Amino acid sequence: MPHAPMPRFPTRFRWGVSTSAYQIEGAADTDGRGVSIWDTFAHSPGRIVDGSSGDVACDHYHRYAEDIALMAGLGINAYRFSVSWPRVLPTGAGAVNASGLDFYERLVDGVLARGIDPVATLFHWDLPQPLEDAGGWLNRDTAHRFAEYADVVAARLGDRVKLWITLNEPFIHMSLGYGMGVHAPGRMLLFDAFPVAHHQLLGHGLATAALRDRSGSPVAIANNYSPVRPVGDGPADLAAAAAYEALHNRLFTDPLLGRGYPAELGFDDAVVRDGDLDVIAAPIDVLGVNYYNPIGVRAPEEDSPLPFEPVPLDGYPRTAFDWPVAPDGLRELLGWLHRRYGADLPPIQITESGCAYDDRPDAQGRVHDPDRIGYLDGHLRAVHAAIADGVDVTGYFVWSLLDNWEWAEGFTKRFGLVHVDYPTGRRTPKSSYAWLRDVIATARREIPR
Ligand code: GBH
């Protein structure tokens, strides 16, 4: 157990937790919600390791008041959630489902009443199925539908949401959803998935304009990043690492910050029209960084369809997901962003950081998760060190408040500060919850009033 006191964070630092709609809400058929690609995917045989779906998940849709009380008990000053597009627009466009907006209004008002800033993500991968049937993000129209949806949400909540996040991890949605078929919608297009990158970014830019019209609150995107370390020092390994870095870390950032698409990836950019890059490069106020681990990369085998081979890095402890626990990678990543984008880099908030462990209640019903405490302690110190290095980091959100439905892994991976007993829905704060509560209490006590 780490005992050294946590160093002091900036006064206005955002201490938060993150969740997403399909992973926690359940209530899939309730109050007029439409069908998303994740409903379809999860209900297709063989897609989810334990055969589960998000039909019920944490039943947060009904238990949100209890979950807000858990947030208040933690002492956080920000809560990042996502809005389910098919709850608001059941067919993706056109008719608005007022009860969907009513739910998010209750949620937003509930967290505000506890002194917590609502941070709303508009797209965390749950595309309305009718839009997928029209081509999903391969279809340019989806970008326009996304901006209309952003307008609808901001018309209702624009006066109360404190930070907008357009897209969550567009790289993962493109690569796992459309490239490799591991996530919904389950397509396997490899590098032909590039239009999904462009149309998501175009949707981000169009939605940003809509949000600016309706709301005075800042706008962000949440990208996932991994510092890339070449494994092997041959020229082919270095070239492979550079290609992976361009794909994983630059594809969704270079165009946002006015640098266009990385040329070396050799994408067929016929889908990029005149003016699109200007829409995409509209200024954002915050860059959301989702960080899990660094990645090793070496030259691919001769017959590989990809120009690189990602390999797990040795020498780190592993989570239950087998991901390395590498807080040094977070400091390294933040330094890389700072050096690469210089004055164009907006302030950063760590919009996700967390780990899965095999947490279960002991005989007294308590859940001890010392490895998560070590993880959070190390990553918060890494953020602090990056700030001391000169990187402007203004917040840190733990993934996640609750154990929840982990996509293709179903209920088999637990990321929560709070344990969820799925059969009953019972919530039990883990020891990491108490630890983080104490860290936040100390940090917020130091704020001059
Ligand atoms: C996020 O995705 C999502 O936004 C969230 O919904 C999800 O629940 C959460 O993280 C936890 O998964 O280098 O082989 O070790 C995370 C995307 C992709 C990050 C895989 C970690 C590690 C692969 N992840 N990556 S490896």
Side-chain angles (χ1 to χ4, degrees):
M1 284 275 268
H3 289 295
M6 188 60 69
R8 190 175 170 159
F9 277 77
T11 312
R12 295 184 177 285
F13 201 72
R14 263 205 172 122
W15 298 90
V17 295
S18 283
T19 63
S20 93
Y22 191 68
Q23 295 180 270
I24 66 167
E25 285 180 2
D29 282 333
T30 306
D31 293 343
R33 177 184 178 278
V35 174
S36 87
I37 57 173
W38 272 98
D39 298 287
T40 307
F41 192 75
H43 284 280
S44 307
R47 295 299 204 169
I48 312 301
V49 293
D50 58 3
S52 65
S53 76
D55 284 359
V56 177
C58 305
D59 200 24
H60 169 77
Y61 188 82
H62 296 111
R63 292 173 175 261
Y64 70 94
E66 180 183 356
D67 293 337
I68 293 170
L70 286 163
M71 296 173 211
L74 195 51
I76 52 175
N77 55 15
Y79 172 51
R80 174 176 176 245
F81 63 98
S82 83
V83 177
S84 160
W85 187 343
R87 231 184 246 299
V88 173
L89 293 158
T91 61
V96 174
N97 176 35
S99 25
L101 284 172
D102 292 345
F103 169 69
Y104 295 107
E105 184 160 75
R106 292 195 293 279
L107 178 68
V108 162
D109 289 347
V111 305
L112 283 169
R114 310 305 293 261
I116 298 168
D117 287 350
V119 175
T121 303
L122 291 171
F123 182 66
H124 201 123
W125 307 345
D126 46 355
L127 190 76
Q129 183 64 40
L131 296 185
E132 173 59 23
D133 297 340
W137 288 106
L138 291 163
N139 181 348
R140 184 181 173 94
D141 288 347
T142 298
H144 293 280
R145 301 295 87 76
F146 181 62
E148 291 161 11
Y149 155 62
D151 178 75
V152 167
V153 177
R156 177 74 84 92
L157 299 174
D159 56 338
R160 283 161 286 172
V161 165
K162 300 298 183 204
L163 174 65
W164 297 102
I165 297 178
T166 54
L167 307 174
N168 178 71
E169 300 189 353
F171 173 76
I172 295 294
H173 189 54
M174 175 194 74
S175 59
L176 297 191
Y178 290 81
M180 318 279 281
V182 177
H183 280 186
R187 304 184 62 142
M188 296 181 65
L189 301 171
L190 296 175
F191 272 50
D192 292 338
F194 173 71
V196 174
H198 183 61
H199 296 147
Q200 284 187 96
L201 282 168
L202 184 64
H204 156 83
L206 295 168
T208 297
L211 293 168
R212 300 280 185 218
D213 281 349
R214 291 280 192 190
S215 171
S217 295
V219 177
I221 188 170
N223 276 326
N224 61 298
Y225 297 95
S226 290
V228 176
R229 299 180 187 166
V231 172
D233 50 13
D237 296 313
L238 299 181
Y244 192 79
E245 183 171 277
L247 180 69
H248 191 286
N249 295 340
R250 292 173 45 209
L251 175 59
F252 288 91
T253 312
D254 282 12
L256 273 182
L257 301 180
R259 286 153 169 77
Y261 286 111
E264 59 269 51
L265 290 169
F267 283 124
D268 174 3
D269 60 1
V271 295
V272 182
R273 297 190 190 164
D274 282 353
D276 285 0
L277 287 170
D278 293 332
V279 173
I280 291 169
I284 53 173
D285 305 295
V286 170
L287 179 65
V289 168
N290 292 1
Y291 172 76
Y292 288 90
N293 52 262
I295 185 79
V297 175
R298 67 182 173 210
E301 304 288 331
E302 293 249 350
D303 55 354
S304 169
L306 299 173
F308 43 68
E309 186 188 340
V311 287
L313 287 163
D314 291 333
Y316 291 104
R318 301 291 179 109
T319 69
F321 227 139
D322 221 24
W323 300 347
V325 178
D328 59 332
L330 179 52
R331 183 179 182 179
E332 175 185 346
L333 168 72
L334 293 168
W336 179 84
L337 287 165
H338 182 63
R339 284 190 307 278
R340 175 168 176 79
Y341 297 105
D344 296 327
L345 185 68
I348 287 172
Q349 295 188 20
I350 309 300
T351 34
E352 287 182 27
S353 170
C355 50
Y357 288 106
D358 192 12
D359 306 314
R360 42 187 103 195
D362 66 13
Q364 286 75 44
R366 286 187 289 249
V367 184
H368 294 287
D369 57 345
D371 290 336
R372 181 169 292 100
I373 294 174
Y375 185 101
L376 296 174
D377 183 87
H379 286 76
L380 282 167
R381 285 172 199 280
V383 169
H384 191 273
I387 294 170
D389 295 340
V391 192
D392 189 10
V393 187
T394 58
Y396 180 93
F397 293 73
V398 176
W399 183 272
S400 181
L401 174 66
L402 303 172
D403 290 342
N404 61 50
W405 193 79
E406 178 54 30
W407 308 115
E409 304 289 320
F411 291 114
T412 67
K413 297 291 184 292
R414 294 180 176 274
F415 279 88
L417 297 163
V418 175
H419 181 274
V420 177
D421 178 61
Y422 294 111
T424 61
R426 187 173 58 244
R427 276 90 162 124
T428 305
K430 304 177 188 178
S431 47
S432 57
Y433 174 100
W435 176 86
L436 184 63
R437 178 194 63 208
D438 293 347
V439 168
I440 295 173
T442 305
R444 294 186 68 185
R445 229 182 348 257
E446 290 173 6
I447 299 173
R449 285 171 207 281

